Amino acid sequence: MFGPVADRLRQAEKIVFVTGAGISQESGIPTFRGKDGFWRKYDAMKLATIDAFYENPKLVWEWYEERRTNILAAKPNPGHLAMAELEKYRPVHVLTQNIDGMHQRAGSTKVYELHGSIITIKCTVCDFKDIIVTGFSELPPICKCGNILRPDVVWFGESLPQDVWHAAMQQASSCDVMIVVGTSLAVSPANLLPAYARQNGAIVIEVNPEETPMSTSMSLSIRSSAAKALPDLLTVFQR
Ligand code: BV8
Ligand code: ZN
């Protein structure tokens, strides 16, 4: 699958991945907009917003708790694992839109969570932040300061964590290979990252069973799933 760009890959000094929900699909974590999208049951555009949270914090919390339970029961798939293994051959940076922590669980060491993480919570008022290790006795959970706690994720209309976003832009602008896996590239500003890589003369490869709005501007668009294609990527370096 990576044959046409194998030489460029082997010459790569640094490989940057941009990943979305599709890379976790084969771990049993539904994507957002796909046919199995669990956002069918809920309208994510309505729920993943600060207004929905203040309007009905219990409902939004129930949605995140359902997703967190599913995520904690899921396992990294061969796609996540191949990306972690690739670190043996080249410096790898993973810019992910996912909040499921799967890249870290697979062993990737440089992961930038652009949209936050489902296993951390923060207070809506004070600067309390913590990792969630158990369930909650009541939803929404209440902070020591008396205000409600929220999932530490980036909702629509909220800005990305500035330090993470700047670091991600820096990585995208200084790599010679970018591999975009499992994202519809529908959400900004994450969908700008491939343009930063191209501006730096990088080759940009897409791994997605379906076309995306950026497929035509890719150096190579591989119509395959992450769990099938990414182990194949490893073989380019193992020859
Ligand atoms: C911001 C975290 C500014 C929470 C998410 C009009 C109105 C309102 C807003 C906007 C607008 N136009 C633009 C905006 C901005 C908005 C935006 O982009 N909206 C879109 C929808 C139009 N963006 C924002 O609001 C961002 N913030 O712009 O702030 C600002 C600046 C300063 C000050 C204040 C504000 C914040 C965006 C982050 C939103 N949070 N999630 C949570 O997860 O609950 S977004 C959500 O969508 C996820 O993070 C997800 O990662 C992201 C993108 O989805 P994908 O990951 O691509 O998943 P999707 O299902 O779409 O696609 C899956 C793909 O995988 C498919 O292509 C499929 O073919 C493929 N696939 C399937 N199976 C496989 C596979 N690929 C490989 N292998 C497989 N097996
Ligand atoms: Zn508080």
Side-chain angles (χ1 to χ4, degrees):
M1 291 188 230
F2 291 86
V5 291
D7 289 344
R8 282 292 301 268
L9 285 168
R10 275 193 280 270
Q11 290 151 20
E13 314 242 308
K14 172 165 73 174
I15 299 176
V16 167
F17 285 87
V18 173
T19 64
I23 192 160
S24 297
Q25 188 262 339
E26 286 155 297
S27 294
I29 300 171
T31 61
F32 299 107
R33 297 166 180 81
K35 44 192 179 315
D36 67 346
F38 64 112
W39 285 15
R40 285 263 170 281
K41 206 166 114 196
Y42 303 91
D43 176 353
M45 290 306 287
K46 287 211 185 65
L47 273 184
T49 65
I50 192 90
D51 304 344
F53 181 69
Y54 280 111
E55 209 174 288
N56 191 340
K58 193 166 177 337
L59 174 68
V60 173
W61 261 109
E62 281 162 0
W63 182 46
Y64 279 94
E65 280 308 278
E66 182 182 324
R67 292 172 65 189
R68 199 163 65 91
T69 311
N70 173 298
I71 284 166
L72 293 178
K75 286 195 199 41
N77 65 55
H80 297 112
L81 295 168
M83 284 175 56
E85 176 89 3
L86 190 63
E87 293 190 7
K88 287 186 189 147
Y89 303 97
R90 291 292 181 283
V92 174
H93 293 257
V94 181
L95 317 180
T96 187
Q97 300 171 87
N98 299 341
I99 62 172
D100 60 24
M102 282 293 161
H103 287 300
Q104 296 93 322
R105 283 170 58 188
S108 289
T109 57
K110 293 188 268 315
V111 181
Y112 303 68
E113 293 180 312
L114 304 172
H115 295 161
S117 160
I118 201 162
I119 56 169
T120 40
I121 35 171
K122 64 183 181 185
C123 181
T124 48
V125 174
C126 76
D127 56 5
F128 171 79
K129 216 175 193 183
D130 200 4
I131 304 266
I132 311 174
V133 283
T134 58
F136 299 103
S137 51
E138 59 165 340
L139 291 178
I142 306 294
C143 180
K144 302 189 288 297
C145 74
N147 292 292
I148 54 174
L149 294 167
R150 58 165 284 180
D152 186 17
V153 298
V154 179
W155 280 323
F156 287 106
E158 293 188 314
S159 54
L160 279 56
Q162 290 309 297
D163 51 343
V164 178
W165 175 240
H166 285 295
M169 278 195 288
Q170 206 276 321
Q171 291 304 333
S173 317
S174 61
C175 66
D176 37 8
V177 173
M178 175 175 277
I179 306 177
V180 181
V181 186
T183 175
S184 59
L185 291 167
V187 171
S188 65
N191 62 2
L192 304 176
L193 292 166
Y196 288 123
R198 253 194 305 282
Q199 272 158 16
N200 186 49
I203 55 163
V204 185
I205 302 162
E206 178 181 61
V207 173
N208 195 323
E210 287 165 32
E211 288 253 313
T212 68
M214 290 193 195
S215 295
T216 47
S217 56
M218 295 288 168
S219 319
L220 176 67
S221 200
I222 296 173
R223 284 286 156 272
S224 170
S225 82
K228 286 196 197 78
L230 295 179
D232 187 65
L233 168 69
L234 267 185
T235 61
V236 168
F237 296 93
Q238 289 163 341
R239 264 185 219 123

